[in-house]
Amino acid sequence: MLNHPRLDLVFQALSDPSRRMMVERLSRGPATVSDLAQPLDMSLPAVMQHLQVLETSGLVRSEKAGRVRTCRIEPNVLATAEGWFAKRRASWERRFDRLEAFLAEEKEQQTTKSSLRKPRRRS
Amino acid sequence: MLNHPRLDLVFQALSDPSRRMMVERLSRGPATVSDLAQPLDMSLPAVMQHLQVLETSGLVRSEKAGRVRTCRIEPNVLATAEGWFAKRRASWERRFDRLEAFLAEEKEQQTTKSSLRKPRRRS
């Protein structure tokens, strides 16, 4: 997992709020560059630069038909990045399960010890 | 979601493979700076610099007791970032559900039209 150049580029691409907004828009369906530019209040060349970063990361691909460039999300690349977080969460949760098991065992040993020290009187 | 300075810093922090490796290690439990440095084959000052980026993003916090600095993951911040991806996936899946519903409706209309054009002969 140390050398995962795609994740480097994906997280780098998503560290910018305008690029995240473009990905949010494209998650709802394909869009032209003008569609993407509109809510961002940004020039087309600026949007094209952000698009280039997103395309290099693999998060987005685009196709030009005539004068219109249509952009699409790459859900597999989003899934890879989401999977990275899911693995960290799984590690974290396993650690808590182990801690819980350890504490339960400790408690049981304490109970056994104290019942050995103070045996119940027979009635 | 456009202005989410924490996500800017979190994704920026995770765009580096050494910092991702530190987060992976800390997901399994707290660690000292030396623990973090060891698999990275990196000087302590270099690790401290990466740690600073992770702390600024909120992903990690550290405490010094005597001469030992112990680092811990902040699971809530990881969860926020994971949640961002989950929302994009939900949008994507909703889009597919809508497309599926649309196609089913189209198919039904086609079937109705063709049955109107070619009514069954009465026997």
Side-chain angles (χ1 to χ4, degrees):
Chain A
M1 185 62 85
L2 178 60
N3 293 311
H4 200 315
R6 169 144 285 179
L7 278 184
D8 291 11
L9 296 174
V10 166
F11 289 135
Q12 180 60 49
L14 295 176
S15 69
D16 180 273
S18 302
R19 289 196 293 264
R20 281 202 304 280
M21 208 165 169
M22 290 164 76
V23 170
E24 289 175 24
R25 169 62 191 81
L26 294 172
S27 304
R28 298 198 297 275
T32 65
V33 177
S34 313
D35 292 338
L36 293 177
Q38 198 248 323
L40 290 173
D41 194 24
M42 206 178 262
S43 70
L44 284 186
V47 172
M48 286 300 290
Q49 275 193 330
H50 282 307
L51 183 61
Q52 185 57 55
V53 177
L54 288 169
E55 290 205 72
T56 305
S57 77
L59 278 166
V60 171
R61 60 193 164 89
S62 75
E63 281 168 339
K64 204 167 182 182
R67 296 184 59 165
V68 178
R69 181 172 290 278
T70 304
C71 310
R72 285 176 172 75
I73 200 80
E74 275 289 359
N76 293 343
V77 179
L78 272 180
T80 302
E82 189 180 2
W84 187 85
F85 288 97
K87 279 179 198 156
R88 305 296 77 76
R89 186 163 40 80
S91 295
W92 175 257
E93 286 169 355
R94 266 198 304 276
R95 171 175 143 72
F96 264 85
D97 289 347
R98 282 198 306 272
L99 276 176
E100 220 166 53
F102 171 76
L103 289 175
E105 203 174 308
E106 281 286 293
K107 200 177 168 183
E108 200 174 318
Q109 282 182 357
Q110 285 300 317
T111 315
T112 314
K113 274 183 199 165
S114 68
S115 70
L116 283 175
R117 272 199 300 271
K118 297 176 198 169
R120 280 189 194 171
R121 290 185 187 180
R122 292 196 183 168
S123 54
Chain B
M1 187 63 84
L2 178 59
N3 295 309
H4 200 315
R6 169 145 287 179
L7 278 184
D8 291 11
L9 296 175
V10 166
F11 289 135
Q12 180 60 51
L14 294 176
S15 69
D16 179 273
S18 302
R19 289 196 292 266
R20 280 202 305 281
M21 206 167 172
M22 289 165 77
V23 170
E24 288 173 25
R25 170 61 191 82
L26 293 172
S27 304
R28 298 198 298 274
T32 65
V33 176
S34 313
D35 291 338
L36 293 176
Q38 198 249 324
L40 290 172
D41 194 23
M42 205 179 262
S43 70
L44 284 185
V47 173
M48 286 299 291
Q49 275 193 329
H50 282 308
L51 183 61
Q52 185 58 56
V53 177
L54 288 169
E55 289 206 72
T56 304
S57 77
L59 278 167
V60 171
R61 60 192 165 87
S62 75
E63 280 168 338
K64 204 167 180 181
R67 297 183 59 164
V68 177
R69 181 172 291 279
T70 304
C71 310
R72 285 176 171 74
I73 201 83
E74 273 290 357
N76 294 342
V77 178
L78 272 180
T80 302
E82 189 180 3
W84 186 85
F85 288 98
K87 279 180 196 154
R88 304 299 76 77
R89 186 163 40 82
S91 296
W92 174 257
E93 287 169 354
R94 267 198 304 276
R95 172 175 143 71
F96 264 84
D97 289 346
R98 282 199 305 273
L99 276 176
E100 218 166 54
F102 171 78
L103 289 175
E105 204 174 309
E106 280 288 292
K107 198 176 169 185
E108 200 174 320
Q109 282 182 359
Q110 286 300 318
T111 315
T112 315
K113 273 182 198 164
S114 69
S115 69
L116 282 174
R117 274 200 299 272
K118 297 178 198 167
R120 282 189 191 173
R121 289 184 187 181
R122 292 195 184 171
S123 56

